[in-house]
Amino acid sequence: MNALLYAVTVFIWGSTWLAIAYQIGDTPVVVSVGWRFGLASIALFIILIARNALPKLTAENHKMAALLALCLFSNNFLCFYFATQYIPSGLNAVVFSLAPILNALNLWWLEKKRPDATFIQGALMGFVGVLMLFGAQFIHSAMDMTILLGLAVTFIGTYFFSMGNLVSARAQKKGMPLLPTTAWAMGYGALYLFAIALLMGYSLAFTTSPLYVSALVYLAIIGSVVGFNTYLALIGRIGAAKAAYCTVLFPLIALSLSTVFEGYEWTWQSVIGVILVVSGNLRVFGLPEPVKRSVKRWSRT
């Protein structure tokens, strides 16, 4: 079951970055993200009501869901959508793969769980890899400063996501039900985003082109309802550290799709950068147990 959850999460999240790129255009980013999580929340509530599985949450649970909304279902994606205007979606995903390292840093900062030397080595490899990736993109784009803006914004979004991981882990430790909490959190995120849009004077209407609508439906139902819940289920079943392998693997899918559909051009710096990012994460968390078992079987033959 865990292997299936891994595979589904990696494929879905690896492909959502390209769908995000297809939403960039006439519709304001804050409206696009709001509709994504608004539709996702409605779909989850329909599923829960149909299954008669919508428990009442306490006031404390709703506070936790609202905090989760700010970290996982609003501010982080505002950053990711905004950054996709300036950098290829695949690079956005690579920066996002640093989330497990930020998780460990947050645990050090907030819970005084100091990382060991292995973590420091892996973190340095990951950050150097990202610098090489964006250095190659920076040079290739004739020193376009907007690339640095995209890098900074997507890093802020990744930090929001990292904080959301800690909030989700704490909520599940308190026994909060996963699907209802996620449904409320997505709903709160959508209301928060719509309020921002209205305060900025934007209409809540969105582009009705087939490409935009198909990307919206894919992101809301597949990317949010399915993808987030498989990932959060992994956190609950095997812990945040092991679930973090998803973020190591899906940037490879995202970059592959970006190469085919966005014309992302590889250089020797970008290849080394991706290798360093993946290797840094693997240095921190080690190889997954199934891979270890496969290596042992292969070495015995």
Side-chain angles (χ1 to χ4, degrees):
M1 184 61 180
N2 290 343
L4 177 61
L5 289 173
Y6 261 121
V8 170
T9 304
V10 168
F11 177 79
I12 288 175
W13 278 12
S15 60
T16 54
W17 300 94
L18 183 62
I20 287 174
Y22 290 150
Q23 285 204 296
I24 303 301
D26 296 332
T27 304
V29 165
V30 66
V31 175
S32 291
V33 184
W35 277 112
R36 170 180 178 172
F37 289 113
L39 293 176
S41 176
I42 291 170
L44 268 179
F45 276 119
I46 290 173
I47 293 171
L48 290 167
I49 293 171
R51 292 167 52 184
N52 195 26
L54 186 61
K56 292 182 178 180
L57 301 185
T58 66
E60 185 64 27
N61 291 159
H62 279 286
K63 289 179 182 178
M64 190 71 77
L67 183 57
L68 200 60
L70 294 176
C71 294
L72 285 185
F73 305 124
S74 59
N75 290 316
N76 59 324
F77 277 96
L78 283 180
C79 293
F80 296 144
Y81 276 61
F82 183 81
T84 304
Q85 298 176 85
Y86 303 109
I87 59 176
S89 61
L91 289 185
N92 217 348
V94 172
V95 177
F96 183 72
S97 72
L98 295 176
I101 295 175
L102 293 179
N103 287 350
L105 288 174
N106 282 329
L107 287 173
W108 184 13
W109 173 43
L110 297 173
E111 300 184 14
K112 310 305 179 186
K113 295 181 180 179
R114 185 172 181 174
D116 57 19
T118 299
F119 166 80
I120 295 174
Q121 294 167 10
L124 287 174
M125 292 170 66
F127 281 115
V128 170
V130 168
L131 289 177
M132 290 197 69
L133 269 167
F134 279 87
Q137 185 73 12
F138 191 65
I139 294 171
H140 183 72
S141 299
M143 312 301 279
D144 189 347
M145 293 298 294
T146 58
I147 293 173
L148 294 180
L149 176 61
L151 170 61
V153 173
T154 197
F155 188 84
I156 293 171
T158 303
Y159 188 78
F160 271 115
F161 176 84
S162 174
M163 293 298 292
N165 274 244
L166 301 185
V167 174
S168 178
R170 185 167 298 180
Q172 292 188 58
K173 284 181 181 179
K174 290 184 176 182
M176 290 178 61
L178 177 62
L179 288 181
T181 301
T182 304
W184 280 107
M186 287 182 173
Y188 287 143
L191 292 175
Y192 166 74
L193 292 165
F194 287 150
I196 292 176
L198 292 174
L199 287 173
M200 296 177 69
Y202 293 137
S203 166
L204 298 186
F206 55 83
T207 304
T208 57
S209 68
L211 184 61
Y212 181 93
V213 172
S214 59
L216 174 61
V217 172
Y218 183 81
L219 288 168
I221 305 303
I222 305 300
S224 300
V225 174
V226 180
F228 262 101
N229 282 291
T230 55
Y231 178 72
L232 295 177
L234 274 176
I235 290 179
R237 290 169 66 93
I238 62 177
K242 292 182 180 179
Y245 287 116
C246 295
T247 65
V248 178
L249 297 175
F250 73 68
L252 302 180
I253 293 176
L255 277 174
S256 299
L257 292 173
S258 184
T259 301
V260 174
F261 294 100
E262 296 180 301
Y264 175 71
E265 297 182 10
W266 290 84
T267 65
W268 66 267
Q269 295 102 322
S270 59
V271 171
I272 294 176
V274 170
I275 292 173
L276 282 172
V277 170
V278 173
S279 299
N281 277 284
L282 292 177
R283 178 60 177 159
V284 172
F285 298 106
L287 290 172
E289 287 301 322
V291 175
K292 288 182 180 179
R293 290 195 292 268
S294 298
V295 171
K296 287 181 180 178
R297 286 196 296 266
W298 178 80
S299 62
R300 291 171 184 168
T301 58

